[in-house]
Amino acid sequence: MRKRLYLNNDWKFKTEFDEEMAEEGYNNPSLEIVRIPHTVKETPFNYFDDAIYQMVSGYRKVFRADQRFRDKRVILHFEGAAHEATVFFNGEKLGTHSCGYTAFEFDISDKINTAGENIIAVRLDSRESLNVPPFGFVVDYMTYGGIYRDVYLEITDKTYVEDTFVYTDVPEVYEENTPEQDVSPKSVGAFLHAKIKIGGDVRGCVITESLKRISGNHPDNCKDEYEEEKELNKAPANEDNVLDYHTLPIILWDINNPTLYEFTVRIYKDEQLIDEKTEFIGFRNATFKSEGFYLNGRKLKLRGLNRHQSYPYVGYAMPSSMQQEDARILKEELSLNAVRTSHYPQSQDFIDSCDRLGLLVFTEIPGWQHIGDEAWKKQAIENEKEMICQYRNHPSIIMWGVRINESADDDEFYLATNDVAHQLDPSRSTGGVRASVKMSLLEDVYTLNDFSHNGKTPGCISKKQATPDMSKAYMVTEYNGHMYPTKSFDSEDTRVEHAMRHIRVMDAIAGEDDIAGGFGWCMFDYNTHKDFGSGDRICYHGVMDMFRNSKLASYGYEMQGDDHYVLELSSSMDIGEHPECIRGDIWLFTNADSVKMYKNDVFIKEYYPKDTPFKNIKRGPILVDDFIGDTLAENENFSTGFANKVKHALNTAARYGMGRLTLGDKLTGAKMMAIHHMSVKDIVDLYQKYIGDWGGEATSFKFEAVKDGVVVKTLIKETVKDISLEAVISHTELHEGKSYDVASVRFRVVDQNGNVLPFFAEPVKLKTEGAIDLIGPKVVPMRGGMAGTYIKSRRRQGSTGKLIIKLDAAGNKIRKEIAFKINEEVGIYV
Ligand code: GAL
């Protein structure tokens, strides 16, 4: 029976390769012992040169095989090695693979020594001078190096299921205008198409296919015929088997109820089961039409961000749990319905999570702006074939990107890439990301990076301005990014403008009926080359920082969701943070029914979502425009009408300064002096009393988010009195299995009310005990009041670990301990 044994442990690594590493008896005690996922070089957080990871390195692994491998088909599989890997097995060169983002494998059945030692050696080239995508010119992201995804052996019978490709035809069951959240699980009959390739000698073999539901909610009013595994077909096997099957009611895969099924192919010989292979599939209808994107018939505006697969210190080398965590953050924290894997196929673990969570994916071939020579293009086509064959069973993937991101037109090349995609997958549309409008459109969807919004211009251009063919769908694949880099420790005005740019573009896209959706640039800050970023080798383009801590901009996305309550204010309410002490616009980000605002515990105003100036998007931020409420009318000797005028003048002065007072405001001032006999000092005192910026009692502001009549969240902005440290941990039970596990710990330094302190910059000091290690430095400075670290499990060194965190916060010595448990699984690796 099929068995997978992981080869992630006990590799020996060297920052150069010598041929002898592939030979028997090679013994160099100076080699480092490493585990996979591995990076050829751990990097600093910033200010490092990409030259440090560019090298030809060597990996060597020795393992013992036994009887279990005899007379079997044995495959040596690499999920990802950046960027060109030449693999040797027992001294023999097996071949070279030249894409850092797709998997590759070799058949070693005839080469494996089943009675003793076997040697794998890899010459890994991570130089950016390689003549393969994305290299050839500049690239706005670091490309790192290393065998950074799993390595395993797959052992099967000599007759085996080589490949299964499943796609489904599902009717459009929802009404076009069914709202995004309002979708109940649906059960329908559908078509399942499976192309199954059987390898080896098929004579006398019988093949069966079966279906079983493994997740998703079961709607009350229908029955799922595949709750128990059900055989769909039984036939004599041949090399290429096709199954076209009309299912009985199945439950749809949708963003709200991502129902997955196991589709299992089995081969029997003499009534004995000799191989079985399972794919996780979903039944959904994902269609791009000229008017937009439709999921199961419902028109769905895609709301996504771009994701790179990088992390601080270790680049691409993070195990499944961290890949899964990013998908979870996108779906559950940022409330998105889509992600673009810019600019290459990403970990299967990430895409598996998108399948499980109901997050739609646009994935694309590796590359960035540059198209190389014929050999380079040939490699790009190879990469595309691998991408499609390796990822095409994922229900979450809705479109293939078949252009090099933002490259020039090259019709011959792109006719070929489109052709490959349609041949290998008749079920999905193609797109190809461009930087310019009206380029040659060979794909099914015109996909454009629309960077037209500069803070003043409209949020996006229209479909008509963008595409040469209105009959095909149109989608925005990037916006913002370099148009407004923003650090979590930038001034408040910058952080607010960053957030508002994301809102403006989202709102504009939501207002254009025929734009399928938009993907903001980007999920989190990332390390980049010298030609990009802020000079410290970081592009501060994320709505989160590199540790996945939220900047203000992320609340614009978060508030679109309903799974958790969101209440955030764009300001710390400290006027000294602004030039000329002018507060400017202050925004409430919330998904509540209303927000009540109090000043020094006196009610000022209740704000409602309808007050937002952003009318297209489901929810837009609400402008806080009143610091006075009815208090002026109640306390001063003004008529109600005049009190309102005074209130307007004071609020305007408070928000925008005296320079923006209207003629009416100035007239009000004159009347205060002439009719109410107030001196300039009296007016200043009035301003102090009602706006109260300095002197006297410190002002406090309280905001209460109300949902269904109940206060569900409270936000208080007042003088910082107490500082504490929050740690958000991805998981505290680590799974030491196919390799090490990693947990992320995100730090936020907050005041007594839980507000992040954006200018807190003291370091946390980290120490580990027990069976865990730290990734990265032991002393990590707070940036924008936030930071992070990663904890890595150790093998065979116990089942507990402890992270000790120390922080000196304005004299307050904070100490925190986080306990980790390590569960070790054996028998799945060699
Ligand atoms: C785009 C590019 C992205 C990133 C972004 C920054 O042109 O596709 O990779 O560089 O600009 O805004």
Side-chain angles (χ1 to χ4, degrees):
M1 279 299 290
R2 185 174 287 254
K3 193 168 175 63
R4 183 176 288 187
L5 290 172
Y6 286 92
L7 292 174
N8 291 327
N9 298 323
D10 298 323
W11 285 78
K12 293 202 169 150
F13 173 73
K14 197 169 153 200
T15 53
E16 56 196 9
F17 179 75
D18 64 71
E19 303 273 331
E20 284 161 20
M21 287 179 84
E23 304 298 331
E24 216 179 314
Y26 176 85
N27 189 14
N28 181 344
S30 71
L31 295 199
E32 196 187 337
I33 296 175
V34 301
R35 301 178 80 187
I36 285 160
H38 179 252
T39 180
V40 293
K41 181 76 189 171
E42 282 208 11
T43 70
F45 185 79
N46 57 355
Y47 286 112
F48 64 92
D49 194 332
D50 43 83
I52 66 174
Y53 63 70
Q54 294 195 48
M55 63 181 84
V56 175
S57 55
Y59 287 84
R60 177 184 158 97
K61 156 109 190 149
V62 179
F63 69 93
R64 291 189 76 82
D66 55 34
Q67 296 302 327
R68 290 175 297 170
F69 296 77
R70 187 160 293 164
D71 298 326
K72 296 285 180 199
R73 173 177 171 267
V74 185
I75 294 296
L76 172 58
H77 181 100
F78 291 80
E79 259 304 302
H83 285 266
E84 187 170 88
T86 304
V87 181
F88 301 83
F89 187 70
N90 290 340
E92 187 185 328
K93 181 170 157 184
L94 299 177
T96 297
H97 180 259
S98 303
C99 175
Y101 303 96
T102 48
F104 55 100
E105 56 189 30
F106 302 97
D107 188 334
I108 54 168
S109 320
D110 300 339
K111 301 175 176 57
I112 195 157
N113 174 6
T114 54
E117 285 196 341
N118 291 277
I119 304 157
I120 307 168
V122 181
R123 174 191 185 275
L124 188 70
D125 193 340
S126 53
R127 290 173 301 182
E128 296 182 338
S129 53
L130 288 167
N131 188 32
V132 302
F135 307 121
F137 193 51
V138 294
V139 180
D140 172 22
Y141 49 92
M142 293 226 176
T143 60
Y144 306 100
I147 303 181
Y148 70 95
R149 294 181 189 156
D150 292 337
V151 183
Y152 57 80
L153 293 174
E154 187 127 81
I155 304 141
T156 64
D157 194 274
K158 293 270 188 192
T159 300
Y160 58 97
V161 183
E162 188 174 328
D163 186 54
T164 311
F165 168 37
V166 184
Y167 62 98
T168 60
D169 276 346
V170 174
E172 299 198 314
V173 289
Y174 294 113
E175 296 289 320
E176 164 164 353
N177 56 5
T178 310
E180 180 171 340
Q181 304 301 332
D182 258 24
V183 184
S184 56
K186 273 267 192 241
S187 153
V188 289
F191 265 105
L192 177 150
H193 307 275
K195 289 188 178 161
I196 300 149
K197 225 176 151 39
I198 305 292
D201 183 0
V202 292
R203 279 173 303 175
C205 290
V206 168
I207 171 179
T208 70
E209 294 96 354
S210 63
L211 200 60
K212 181 184 175 191
R213 180 163 71 87
I214 55 158
S215 69
N217 291 325
H218 187 167
D220 296 336
N221 57 351
C222 66
K223 182 167 155 41
D224 177 4
E225 296 289 335
Y226 305 95
E227 273 185 72
E228 297 297 325
E229 180 171 301
K230 187 162 185 154
E231 198 165 280
L232 309 181
N233 187 38
K234 186 172 188 168
N238 56 53
E239 282 168 15
D240 292 296
N241 301 258
V242 174
L243 174 70
D244 281 318
Y245 185 84
H246 191 181
T247 68
L248 294 165
I250 46 85
I251 299 175
L252 286 188
W253 186 96
D254 198 276
I255 51 170
N256 301 314
N257 189 41
T259 306
L260 291 175
Y261 288 80
E262 278 180 0
F263 179 78
T264 305
V265 178
R266 295 192 175 88
I267 309 175
Y268 293 88
K269 192 169 197 169
D270 302 330
E271 297 188 359
Q272 290 285 309
L273 178 62
I274 58 171
D275 192 26
E276 100 178 358
K277 189 163 191 266
T278 295
E279 298 292 332
F280 299 99
I281 64 157
F283 292 85
R284 92 281 185 277
N285 180 323
T287 310
F288 284 91
K289 303 181 187 174
S290 63
E291 320 82 77
F293 173 72
Y294 292 74
L295 185 65
N296 299 324
R298 172 242 284 101
K299 192 170 181 189
L300 181 71
K301 190 69 86 172
L302 296 169
R303 200 179 57 254
L305 287 168
N306 283 271
R307 175 196 185 237
H308 269 305
Q309 61 174 13
S310 55
Y311 296 81
Y313 320 127
V314 290
Y316 288 167
M318 276 292 192
S320 349
S321 52
M322 286 298 94
Q323 311 293 334
Q324 290 161 4
E325 175 67 357
D326 268 4
R328 191 198 63 75
I329 290 172
L330 287 162
K331 173 84 181 185
E332 292 176 1
E333 292 188 14
L334 295 169
S335 297
L336 300 172
N337 59 28
V339 59
R340 172 176 173 226
T341 66
S342 49
H343 301 293
Y344 38 77
Q346 301 186 353
S347 157
Q348 294 282 356
D349 295 317
F350 177 76
I351 312 285
D352 282 345
S353 294
C354 295
D355 291 344
R356 274 198 300 273
L357 294 166
L359 186 65
L360 301 165
V361 182
F362 170 34
T363 199
E364 65 188 353
I365 52 172
W368 204 83
Q369 295 193 346
H370 167 79
I371 302 177
D373 60 13
E374 287 312 310
W376 189 101
K377 286 188 205 176
K378 212 167 146 233
Q379 182 61 49
I381 301 259
E382 227 16 73
N383 298 350
E384 183 192 1
K385 288 181 182 162
E386 290 180 349
M387 168 180 85
I388 295 175
C389 291
Q390 293 168 15
Y391 291 83
R392 60 188 172 176
N393 286 333
H394 289 284
S396 58
I397 296 180
I398 53 170
M399 184 164 66
W400 302 117
V402 301
R403 275 184 181 239
I404 302 302
N405 171 64
E406 294 193 332
S407 56
D409 275 342
D410 183 335
D411 281 7
E412 199 190 331
F413 179 36
Y414 291 134
L415 274 170
T417 58
N418 273 284
D419 219 43
V420 164
H422 289 133
Q423 275 190 20
L424 292 176
D425 179 6
S427 77
R428 285 183 183 85
S429 297
T430 58
V433 173
R434 298 156 173 83
S436 308
V437 302
K438 312 242 164 148
M439 291 173 71
S440 179
L441 176 51
L442 307 168
E443 295 77 25
D444 304 314
V445 181
Y446 199 86
T447 40
L448 174 72
N449 291 346
D450 177 353
F451 290 112
S452 60
H453 181 60
N454 67 5
K456 298 196 166 58
T457 42
C460 67
I461 60 170
S462 67
K463 176 179 178 188
K464 200 149 179 271
Q465 290 169 294
T467 172
D469 183 351
M470 292 295 282
S471 70
K472 291 183 172 180
Y474 169 61
M475 184 167 88
V476 176
T477 34
E478 287 180 36
Y479 53 84
N480 288 346
H482 66 280
M483 296 301 288
Y484 207 76
T486 301
K487 305 171 189 74
S488 48
F489 46 93
D490 267 333
S491 73
E492 184 176 295
D493 292 353
T494 305
R495 285 178 280 129
V496 175
E497 174 60 9
H498 180 231
M500 296 317 289
R501 284 183 182 222
H502 278 269
I503 291 288
R504 283 182 220 124
V505 179
M506 261 198 278
D507 189 57
I509 291 175
E512 299 283 328
D513 267 354
D514 52 7
I515 301 186
F519 294 78
W521 189 265
C522 57
M523 181 184 174
F524 48 80
D525 300 340
Y526 54 96
N527 287 126
T528 190
H529 290 101
K530 67 169 179 15
D531 319 80
F532 305 92
S534 296
D536 62 347
R537 307 299 170 101
I538 295 179
C539 254
Y540 291 94
H541 295 177
V543 303
M544 298 184 135
D545 69 11
M546 281 217 270
F547 294 110
R548 285 62 163 163
N549 287 304
S550 293
K551 297 181 194 169
L552 182 65
S554 44
Y555 292 97
Y557 293 94
E558 211 179 312
M559 65 190 272
Q560 306 306 322
D562 293 289
D563 294 343
H564 58 278
Y565 300 119
V566 180
L567 176 64
E568 183 60 299
L569 190 72
S570 68
S571 179
S572 66
M573 294 303 224
D574 297 296
I575 60 164
E577 162 61 359
H578 308 279
E580 297 177 46
C581 296
I582 295 172
R583 292 179 165 87
D585 289 339
I586 294 172
W587 298 95
L588 272 167
F589 293 76
T590 187
N591 56 3
D593 297 338
S594 70
V595 176
K596 288 184 180 160
M597 174 179 169
Y598 301 81
K599 187 174 148 190
N600 295 335
D601 290 326
V602 177
F603 174 75
I604 301 289
K605 183 169 176 179
E606 184 158 7
Y607 292 94
Y608 296 90
K610 67 172 173 34
D611 300 335
T612 181
F614 302 98
K615 302 295 184 197
N616 304 312
I617 201 174
K618 183 175 165 200
R619 294 186 184 109
I622 308 164
L623 204 52
V624 174
D625 60 1
D626 189 1
F627 301 94
I628 298 171
D630 293 335
T631 52
L632 192 71
E634 282 160 11
N635 301 342
E636 304 298 321
N637 209 5
F638 298 138
S639 70
T640 316
F642 191 68
N644 277 338
K645 288 189 173 151
V646 175
K647 175 166 129 174
H648 185 273
L650 297 184
N651 275 327
T652 307
R655 292 164 67 199
Y656 306 117
M658 303 298 262
R660 288 266 294 271
L661 289 179
T662 62
L663 196 61
D665 293 332
K666 286 179 187 155
L667 248 149
T668 305
K671 281 186 188 161
M672 284 158 87
M673 294 170 101
I675 302 171
H676 292 270
H677 310 293
M678 293 172 76
S679 66
V680 172
K681 182 176 179 306
D682 293 337
I683 296 177
V684 170
D685 286 350
L686 197 74
Y687 183 86
Q688 283 311 325
K689 184 167 169 194
Y690 289 97
I691 301 297
D693 288 333
W694 59 66
E697 283 290 295
T699 312
S700 80
F701 293 94
K702 183 166 81 181
F703 298 86
E704 291 177 342
V706 181
K707 193 100 189 170
D708 300 323
V710 179
V711 174
V712 291
K713 208 162 179 176
T714 304
L715 188 76
I716 295 172
K717 299 280 177 175
E718 60 179 359
T719 309
V720 177
K721 296 177 193 140
D722 190 23
I723 299 179
S724 59
L725 178 72
E726 282 180 8
V728 181
I729 309 142
S730 61
H731 56 302
T732 50
E733 277 203 25
L734 301 179
H735 186 82
E736 190 36 67
K738 60 182 184 174
S739 186
Y740 59 91
D741 192 6
V742 170
S744 66
V745 186
R746 293 181 280 176
F747 298 118
R748 298 150 34 103
V749 173
V750 295
D751 68 9
Q752 66 278 12
N753 298 305
N755 298 297
V756 173
L757 304 177
F759 306 118
F760 189 96
E762 299 303 316
V764 280
K765 294 185 183 129
L766 307 168
K767 209 176 109 186
T768 55
E769 285 174 7
I772 56 170
D773 289 313
L774 271 184
I775 294 178
K778 290 197 176 74
V779 178
V780 183
M782 291 287 163
R783 297 175 172 97
M786 302 181 292
T789 192
Y790 297 95
I791 295 303
K792 183 176 175 178
S793 64
R794 264 195 219 162
R795 192 170 165 227
R796 295 180 182 156
Q797 306 221 351
S799 58
T800 58
K802 198 195 281 173
L803 173 66
I804 301 156
I805 309 153
K806 286 186 186 164
L807 174 72
D808 192 342
N812 178 11
K813 296 209 182 309
I814 297 172
R815 189 179 194 278
K816 254 190 191 334
E817 286 189 8
I818 304 170
F820 290 89
K821 204 166 161 235
I822 298 98
N823 300 322
E824 201 149 334
E825 185 184 357
V826 289
I828 61 166
Y829 49 79
V830 285

